Amino acid sequence: MPGESRIDPALRHFLTLRDLAPGELDDLLELGHRLSEGEVPPRPLEGRSVALVFQKSSTRTRVSFEVGVHRLGGKGIFLSDRDSQIGRGEPLSDTARVLSTYVDGIMIRTFGHDKLEELARHSRVPVMNGLTDRFHPCQLLADLLTLRQNFGASALPGLRVAWFGDGNNMANSWLLAAGLLGFELRLAVPEGYDPDGEALAWAGERTRIVLTRDPEEAAEEVHVLTTDVWASMGQEEEAAQREADFASFQVNERLAERARDDHIFLHCLPAHRGEEVTAQVMDGPHSRIFQEAENRLHAQMALMIHLFRTADG
Ligand code: CP
Ligand code: NVA
């Protein structure tokens, strides 16, 4: 099954959105919302540490996790490939076993989703997915919180969301979110770039999923327009080919005119203005990209409060 954890069930990990218990996603978004409004968080990480492992670049994920861990009373320890033994080939299984003896949680951004699962299998502390090639669940927590703030909590199942471009880690995560919450998801993706087949099938059994090659059809009367870079981290050499293949999937004002008048535009960032989205849309009145980015902090704090409270029993 897509995103299914193969881990000790007594230990809470967050490898995909499906690791949240039924109802927990709603609770977590509610808590994230209250934190965004200034509620003082508890300090479940008092005297504890969380390793923040990055095998790819990051601005938002790194800083929001470091700040979030700090606000919850703990210490974040940043590790990159460049200055840890992971970059010199030490297996993630050994790394997980060693880190588990020092820290109380591990966040990792890596390439293959199997690498994340390997780390989680060998970890004795909660592992959080800070992005893999297959899923980016922390980003979706922030995106869903942004939807909640703009449309209201009860409106979420009735929304129509349109995704444009690559069937990548973000598209796959949107599929799991749609399956969990029941909103309609339309994916306008060129041939050859379809999302993960298992995630597509899983979500398709639970809600209305439309996969189309026609961006205009996808945009019709939707509440949300969203996209991502055409070449993700690790795909830099394919950039020219992708630019050609995705050219007609750009989110621009002409496309946005088809959406509802009260639609919002989301992008996980970083973005390339003039490629997957125009500057007019990015910086226009419907854009919520900076609210979305801020929500990374609130949503991840809510996540850690849930994980570390549960880890305490
Ligand atoms: N959206 C996101 O994950 O951004 P970073 O790559 O800057 O962490
Ligand atoms: N799809 C992008 C998301 C970056 C936050 C990537 O994987 O590079």
Side-chain angles (χ1 to χ4, degrees):
M1 294 302 284
E4 202 168 49
S5 295
R6 290 184 284 277
I7 43 117
D8 174 0
L11 184 61
R12 293 301 309 276
H13 292 309
F14 182 64
L15 308 190
T16 81
L17 290 173
R18 292 190 54 204
D19 286 322
L20 298 175
E24 196 176 15
L25 179 55
D26 288 336
D27 293 348
L28 204 147
L29 295 176
E30 166 62 26
L31 175 58
H33 179 60
R34 294 203 311 269
L35 293 171
S36 78
E37 295 203 311
E39 181 171 301
V40 178
R43 293 172 66 85
L45 291 175
E46 191 77 60
R48 302 165 113 185
S49 305
V50 178
L52 307 172
V53 181
F54 284 88
Q55 299 197 270
K56 292 174 175 171
S57 302
S58 172
T59 297
R60 279 145 289 270
T61 306
R62 177 180 176 181
V63 178
S64 58
F65 263 104
E66 283 205 28
V67 172
V69 168
H70 175 69
R71 289 195 190 174
L72 299 181
K75 179 176 173 51
I77 300 170
F78 173 74
L79 287 157
S80 77
D81 263 12
R82 202 177 322 175
D83 45 25
S84 73
Q85 299 291 4
I86 303 167
R88 296 182 60 249
E90 181 167 15
L92 283 174
S93 51
D94 289 353
T95 304
R97 292 177 71 172
V98 172
L99 289 181
S100 295
T101 66
Y102 305 141
V103 300
D104 303 282
I106 302 172
M107 190 241 73
I108 180 166
R109 166 168 287 194
T110 187
F111 290 86
H113 196 75
D114 57 328
K115 294 287 173 201
L116 170 77
E117 291 176 330
E118 180 189 347
L119 182 92
R121 266 198 305 277
H122 292 89
S123 173
R124 304 216 170 281
V125 296
V127 172
M128 297 170 283
N129 179 358
L131 178 145
T132 64
D133 291 344
R134 195 171 175 210
F135 292 108
H136 194 6
C138 287
Q139 181 67 50
L140 255 289
L141 293 181
D143 294 8
L144 296 174
L145 178 52
T146 312
L147 297 192
R148 197 183 184 287
Q149 290 166 339
N150 280 275
F151 296 104
S154 59
L156 259 55
L159 296 181
R160 290 182 294 279
V161 176
W163 169 268
F164 301 90
D166 195 8
N168 63 8
N169 42 14
M170 282 299 301
N172 295 335
S173 303
W174 274 106
L175 278 166
L176 296 193
L180 287 169
L181 291 173
F183 57 80
E184 177 177 332
L185 180 63
R186 303 176 189 170
L187 301 139
V189 175
E191 258 184 82
Y193 295 97
D194 282 355
D196 183 281
E198 283 180 316
L200 199 57
W202 184 85
E205 285 164 14
R206 285 159 181 82
T207 191
R208 183 170 154 76
I209 303 293
V210 179
L211 180 62
T212 174
R213 311 297 175 205
D214 179 355
E216 299 198 343
E217 178 197 340
E220 209 60 54
E221 284 300 307
V222 290
H223 300 81
V224 183
L225 300 170
T226 186
T227 186
D228 188 14
V229 290
W230 290 340
S232 284
M233 289 181 276
Q235 298 172 335
E236 289 78 7
E237 285 175 8
E238 299 170 26
Q241 181 63 52
R242 285 171 167 268
E243 209 170 307
D245 293 343
F246 289 113
S248 60
F249 290 79
Q250 183 191 62
V251 180
N252 50 41
E253 287 197 304
R254 188 178 45 75
L255 191 71
E257 274 171 20
R258 294 186 169 262
R260 283 169 59 101
D261 290 343
D262 64 349
H263 79 272
I264 64 169
F265 171 73
L266 298 180
H267 191 307
C268 64
L269 306 180
H272 296 114
R273 287 172 173 78
E275 291 185 22
E276 75 273 11
V277 58
T278 58
Q280 289 95 321
V281 170
M282 274 287 282
D283 304 316
H286 295 275
S287 178
R288 298 292 182 273
I289 54 171
F290 296 114
Q291 181 182 9
E292 179 187 8
E294 178 186 331
N295 279 335
R296 291 294 302 275
L297 175 61
H298 309 306
Q300 287 157 200
M301 283 173 66
L303 171 70
M304 288 190 280
I305 291 167
H306 273 243
L307 285 184
F308 290 101
R309 265 193 192 148
T310 315
D312 277 343

